[in-house]
Amino acid sequence: MFSRDHIKQSFQAAIPIMLGYVAIGIPCGILEDSIGLNALQAFLLSVLFYSGAGQFMIPNMWLAGGPIASIIASVSLVNTRQMLYSAAFAPACKGVKKRLSFLFAASVTDESYGVNVQKFSTGEWSVDRATMVNLFSQSSWTLSNVVGVLVGNAIGVPLAIAAFAMTSIFICLLVTQKWTPENALAALVAIVGVFACKMIGWSGPAILIGAVLGVCAALAFSWAKGRG
């Protein structure tokens, strides 16, 4: 467990995630600086909370004037997916010490989930290596957030640029999707839902509501098509 070879393999697997986290972690740190968080607070938030989408949502919703209850509810709902990621790895954790299993489950994110799923599918991966992928990724994210706070505090990067970082990520993810009728419908309904929410003044939860509506529409369409 945690041998030199395992550490090297985990680091190599985590490099693409770590580089990606630098690109989005710094803008996230700039946004955190905009709502008054200092470097230590950003560090603790990244270590204890560790949610890219959630950490972008908090300052964006705060700057938009969203109420605390709305911010907590929105971020909590967005992060429920983490429970599914952890549950998916339950079979791989059989016979593994509880402390290691807990650390592994607590540090899974979208990106490390994808990498570790691919690695586990080869049959030559282990929970200790998967955990190190998570921790290397989290380290990159944490340091990038801290750097972002320091950069934002020093030179005053325009918030519009930093805030667009998460939007640009979602655009990239959308464009690279395999286009199916379900995906197209989900994207369309989500866009309409966000626009409608903003038109009636629900700017805070607009993205969350739009996303939920899009997923529900795609699921309903898929179900109807399966029965047809």
Side-chain angles (χ1 to χ4, degrees), residues 62-133:
W62 181 270
L63 291 171
I68 297 295
S70 177
I71 295 174
I72 293 174
S74 298
V75 173
S76 297
L77 285 172
V78 166
N79 287 335
T80 54
R81 71 192 190 284
Q82 308 288 27
M83 294 187 292
L84 299 177
Y85 293 157
S86 301
F89 287 124
C93 291
K94 288 182 178 179
V96 176
K97 291 182 178 180
K98 289 185 178 180
R99 290 182 182 178
L100 180 58
S101 297
F102 176 81
L103 179 60
F104 174 48
S107 55
V108 174
T109 60
D110 305 79
E111 295 78 16
S112 63
Y113 172 81
V115 168
N116 283 321
V117 163
Q118 190 277 327
K119 291 291 186 179
F120 274 121
S121 68
T122 65
E124 299 178 355
W125 203 237
S126 58
V127 174
D128 67 305
R129 282 177 281 192
T131 302
M132 285 187 285
V133 169

Side-chain angles (χ1 to χ4, degrees), residues 2-27:
F2 297 113
S3 66
R4 184 174 180 178
D5 286 341
H6 283 193
I7 294 174
K8 182 179 179 181
Q9 292 168 11
S10 298
F11 182 74
Q12 290 174 340
I15 285 176
I17 303 174
M18 295 169 69
L19 294 176
Y21 279 177
V22 171
I24 61 176
I26 292 176

Side-chain angles (χ1 to χ4, degrees), residues 122-199:
T122 65
E124 299 178 355
W125 203 237
S126 58
V127 174
D128 67 305
R129 282 177 281 192
T131 302
M132 285 187 285
V133 169
N134 295 353
L135 296 180
F136 279 130
S137 303
Q138 184 175 11
S139 298
S140 175
W141 172 256
T142 301
L143 291 175
S144 297
N145 271 258
V146 172
V147 170
V149 171
L150 297 176
V151 168
N153 189 41
I155 63 177
V157 178
L159 290 180
I161 296 176
F164 187 71
M166 182 56 76
T167 303
S168 64
I169 292 168
F170 282 119
I171 291 174
C172 290
L173 292 173
L174 180 63
V175 170
T176 55
Q177 286 290 312
K178 179 181 179 181
W179 282 98
T180 63
E182 290 85 353
N183 286 346
L185 179 62
L188 178 61
V189 172
I191 292 171
V192 172
V194 171
F195 180 77
C197 287
K198 288 183 176 291
M199 288 294 292

Side-chain angles (χ1 to χ4, degrees), residues 8 24 35-36 42 55 58 81 89 93 114 200 213 225:
K8 182 179 179 181
I24 61 176
I35 62 171
Q55 285 178 240
I58 291 172
R81 71 192 190 284
F89 287 124
C93 291
I200 61 176
L213 290 175
K225 187 172 69 172

Side-chain angles (χ1 to χ4, degrees), residues 30 52 187:
I30 294 171

